[in-house]
Amino acid sequence: MNLFGEIRDNILNELAAMMREGALPAGLALENVAVEPPRDPAHGDMATNAAMVLARPAGMKPRDIAAALAVRLERNPRIDSAEVAGPGFLNLRLAPETWGALIEAILAAPATYGRSQMGQGQRVNVEYVSANPTGPLHVGHSRGAVFGDALAALLEYSGHDVTREYYINDGGAQVDVLARSVYERYREALGEAAEIGEGLYPGDYLVPVGRALAEKVGARWLGEPEEVWLAEVREFAIDAMMRLIREDLALLGVEMDNFFSERSLYDSGRIEAAIEALSAQGLIYQGVLEPPKGKMPEEWEPREQTLFRSTAHGDDVDRPIMKSDGSWTYFAPDIAYHFDKISRGFDQLIDVFGADHGGYVKRMKAAVSALSGGKVPLDIKLIQLVRLFRDGEPFKMSKRAGNFVTLRDVVERVGADVTRFVMLTRKNDAPLDFDLARVLEQSRDNPVFYVQYAHARVKSVMRRAEAAGITPGAPLIEDAAEVTLARKLAEWPRLVEIAARGHEPHRVAFYLYELASDFHALYNRGNDRPRLRFVQEGDAAATSAKIALPLAVSIVISAGLGILGVTPVEEMR
RNA sequence: GCUCGCGUAGCUCAGCUGGAUAGAGUGUCGCCCUCCGAAGGCGAAGGUCACAGGUUCGAAUCCUGUCGCGAGCGCCA
């Protein structure tokens, strides 16, 4: 049940009838008619802009249309009153029974309330994390991981067919560096002194990898030149790193559907095929780029390169795809990778990148636009930095890795649920402050706690009702605080669609906080007014009617937390 | 220099793809706990939505320009 959607349908039907009867000119477009919660609750339960949207095309005054529509809507038994306000808003007040019916509908279909068919089964590929396989994940990665995972869940919840994908950058120079670093640890494991020179990865996490390698191959690569061992050590090291990364992801509860190897694109003709597809459109040429203005690199000299005419698809300058030695730039396999995604038949692509990839957005969109003939939209979500604190002080430490805080450090301290929720309490493009101490505080200004506490409170109420042998019955929504809460529940399906459309999972987190807040307000009101308590001592019938509302709240909280990947708790400890 | 993002209450941030008197938490101030649901509750103050124009019935939201902060800018991925 989607109350906003249903009331909107009612309104559209009335407008259609008005057109048939001549009260409105025929043929008016109705897509822009919206039914929304009014900003000020004093304006009622719902408001529609129908009259204002239609006034101009109908050549009528907004308030006249609104008044005529109001008369019709007031005949609807679900609507108590319809009132013309302001420039032509129509404010609706719903009948108490309408709220009761909503709560009953939620209880009757707890697994589906809020789910949407908006996506119509569209196939969406969400690529996220995609960290280089050279070490454990750090805090920054965890934000991208949580965001991508929640976005994927949100899209599934709204009717999309989602594939969660990780792109393994195992084709570039950094995995050679990894191999050399592991080789030093290998030598170390065999009793020689490791020489971790400048530019190698110094982290301790490579020590066991070197040891495992020594156990596997023995001493046969000792003293041998790089050409002998590099390729095999690289394979071995990448495998080890990807295992590490999968473990880190598992700690956060993130599970990918597909890992895509960059290396698999090389030596298989797939890069060439992707470039050829661009070339066939005349988008590949030999040329010389202008130097960037204002900031002249030290050793700039004009250089002829193979370029992709990304400017034909909205980029600012054309981009090189081949180095002067004839090898591909990093951009080329990325083009091939996205070509592969397109050819796998996805209707929509989403890339979740770190904010330092900002300069990369336009060229990637240009490539996808060209390769898909403009048919497959690519949305790139940039994830801003995470600043770690503890009790307000900047937090720096590393147990195992170079000089960064690992994902594991954080999850082991505060838990996966807290990490996930907190990471989603900001828009992706705003920096996030993460305080390892404050996220564990039990107070109202900690949204994780506040939402969990609301769920636990409901469960406590339900346990007490159950102990008295009482089950939820036909709900009775009468007090203003109860209506406020029911109204918030009615917004859930609408919020899901808004959040999914904008690829903005943080909206779910904020919604849950508001819902919890309204719930706690009602609960607290029971202090002063015992009639508002959910469990009415010695009155089974009243209790049965009262507990339907909190139960519905817990259903929605549980669904929302499910999208965020957070486990709802039964009790606080 | 160019590109992208951001700029909203003292602080941290929401703000529904253009709606009404711009919201929440925190902080500040006032009131409320012997017990019955205070890991708090109720209320108040607090704003030139960075600035200036524009678009229209209507702008924090869209467009142009300016300022400030951050990130990026040809063989690093």
Side-chain angles (χ1 to χ4, degrees):
Chain A
M1 180 180 192
N2 181 343
L3 203 47
F4 281 90
E6 291 179 15
I7 296 293
R8 178 170 186 269
D9 287 342
N10 291 340
I11 289 173
L12 295 188
N13 286 339
E14 295 298 344
L15 291 170
M18 288 167 74
M19 286 194 260
R20 276 197 307 278
E21 295 166 16
L24 282 174
L28 292 176
L30 301 179
E31 310 89 73
N32 290 331
V33 172
V35 178
E36 303 175 319
R39 194 175 303 186
D40 185 347
H43 291 143
D45 300 316
M46 293 184 180
T48 179
N49 62 355
M52 287 182 292
V53 172
L54 299 178
R56 179 191 291 265
M60 298 169 66
K61 289 184 186 156
R63 290 187 66 102
D64 291 346
I65 300 177
L69 180 60
V71 172
R72 292 169 162 271
L73 288 175
E74 284 187 338
R75 293 201 286 259
N76 185 327
R78 305 168 86 177
I79 296 172
D80 256 6
S81 71
E83 198 174 307
V84 183
F89 285 102
L90 198 50
N91 292 331
L92 308 180
R93 253 169 239 285
L94 303 188
E97 304 80 52
T98 309
W99 297 120
L102 170 73
I103 303 305
E104 275 188 299
I106 296 173
L107 299 191
T112 58
Y113 177 66
R115 283 188 185 269
S116 161
Q117 293 311 309
M118 185 182 80
Q120 298 178 315
Q122 266 202 18
R123 297 187 59 212
V124 184
N125 182 292
V126 185
E127 180 208 328
Y128 55 111
V129 192
S130 296
N132 287 341
T134 55
L137 298 178
H138 56 73
V139 228
H141 294 132
S142 63
R143 187 175 182 194
V146 169
F147 176 87
D149 211 45
L151 175 56
L154 175 62
L155 290 172
E156 267 171 358
Y157 198 77
S158 55
H160 300 80
D161 178 6
V162 179
T163 297
R164 300 155 204 245
E165 191 153 309
Y166 186 119
Y167 180 59
I168 307 172
N169 286 105
D170 54 3
Q174 79 283 356
V175 285
D176 290 343
V177 174
L178 172 73
R180 294 184 192 108
S181 308
V182 166
Y183 182 74
E184 290 304 317
R185 296 302 187 182
Y186 160 77
R187 292 180 52 237
E188 186 179 50
L190 292 171
E192 304 204 359
E195 292 166 25
I196 314 289
E198 190 71 18
L200 293 189
Y201 299 117
D204 292 345
Y205 58 88
L206 292 180
V207 172
V209 181
R211 197 182 307 128
L213 183 61
E215 283 167 20
K216 185 182 172 202
V217 305
R220 68 181 156 100
W221 284 334
L222 273 186
E224 294 289 342
E226 189 172 294
E227 304 82 72
V228 175
W229 48 262
L230 186 71
E232 286 184 72
V233 174
R234 190 172 56 207
E235 288 310 305
F236 187 84
I238 291 172
D239 275 357
M241 291 303 102
M242 286 312 296
R243 267 199 303 281
L244 194 63
I245 286 170
R246 282 175 203 244
E247 281 172 24
D248 283 352
L249 289 176
L251 282 177
L252 258 188
V254 173
E255 197 179 329
M256 296 287 169
D257 298 312
N258 193 26
F259 287 83
F260 190 100
S261 160
E262 175 191 358
R263 184 168 289 274
S264 71
L265 295 165
Y266 289 89
D267 306 323
S268 61
R270 294 162 81 184
I271 297 179
E272 290 76 5
I275 301 304
E276 178 52 37
L278 293 175
S279 193
Q281 299 180 43
L283 295 173
I284 302 294
Y285 69 102
Q286 298 294 318
V288 179
L289 285 177
E290 297 282 313
K293 292 192 174 55
K295 176 213 144 202
M296 178 66 81
E298 299 284 317
E299 299 160 15
W300 174 271
E301 53 191 43
R303 182 190 303 140
E304 194 178 81
Q305 294 171 288
T306 305
L307 300 170
F308 164 46
R309 198 183 302 282
S310 54
T311 48
H313 288 266
D315 203 354
D316 308 306
V317 292
D318 293 339
R319 306 291 177 174
I321 55 165
M322 199 178 263
K323 302 175 192 173
S324 49
D325 68 0
S327 65
W328 300 113
T329 66
Y330 58 91
F331 187 35
D334 279 359
I335 292 172
Y337 173 44
H338 283 77
F339 190 41
D340 183 85
K341 291 193 211 178
I342 293 166
S343 57
R344 276 185 273 156
F346 290 106
D347 300 302
Q348 198 184 144
L349 305 181
I350 300 175
D351 290 350
V352 179
F353 289 163
D356 55 339
H357 285 61
Y360 204 52
V361 171
K362 281 191 176 179
R363 76 188 69 171
M364 209 65 251
K365 286 189 176 181
V368 168
S369 169
L371 289 168
S372 73
K375 288 203 187 70
V376 179
L378 167 67
D379 187 15
I380 298 185
K381 307 298 276 189
L382 295 180
I383 305 297
Q384 268 293 349
L385 294 177
V386 177
R387 292 186 298 236
L388 270 191
F389 296 85
R390 189 168 59 178
D391 284 323
E393 296 296 317
F395 181 83
K396 294 252 183 239
M397 74 156 245
S398 70
K399 278 194 271 185
R400 341 178 153 66
N403 55 356
F404 51 82
V405 181
T406 64
L407 177 152
R408 184 179 289 263
D409 289 335
V410 173
V411 174
E412 284 178 352
R413 269 168 189 273
V414 304
D417 284 337
V418 168
T419 305
R420 292 187 67 121
F421 198 108
V422 173
M423 293 280 177
L424 292 166
T425 54
R426 288 285 174 276
K427 287 181 292 202
N428 59 287
D429 50 14
L432 169 76
D433 289 350
F434 190 113
D435 192 308
L436 292 163
R438 291 195 183 143
V439 298
L440 296 176
E441 274 175 18
Q442 302 203 334
S443 71
R444 180 169 186 156
D445 64 328
N446 180 359
V448 195
F449 163 77
Y450 208 56
V451 171
Q452 290 281 29
Y453 185 31
H455 189 265
R457 269 184 155 174
V458 174
K459 290 297 170 181
S460 165
V461 166
M462 299 313 294
R463 281 192 295 269
R464 279 164 55 198
E466 196 178 347
I470 300 167
T471 54
L476 186 59
I477 307 298
E478 40 187 4
D479 186 84
E482 294 170 334
V483 172
T484 298
L485 192 50
R487 192 189 289 149
K488 187 60 77 177
L489 290 172
E491 288 177 27
W492 173 236
R494 192 170 171 275
L495 180 113
V496 167
E497 297 197 348
I498 290 168
R501 196 179 307 130
H503 300 165
E504 296 172 324
H506 76 276
R507 286 183 190 273
V508 174
F510 279 93
Y511 169 82
L512 290 178
Y513 182 74
E514 291 169 12
L515 177 62
S517 194
D518 287 343
F519 169 77
H520 288 305
L522 174 60
Y523 191 98
N524 292 330
R525 203 155 289 203
N527 290 326
D528 298 330
R529 298 170 55 193
R531 276 186 47 82
L532 289 181
R533 296 182 188 181
F534 301 127
V535 176
Q536 298 282 316
E537 292 300 334
D539 188 341
T543 302
S544 175
K546 288 281 186 195
I547 59 177
L549 178 60
L551 186 55
V553 169
S554 73
I555 287 168
V556 172
I557 289 180
S558 183
L561 289 179
I563 291 172
L564 306 185
V566 176
T567 318
V569 300
E570 300 288 313
E571 54 188 341
M572 303 305 294
R573 277 176 297 172

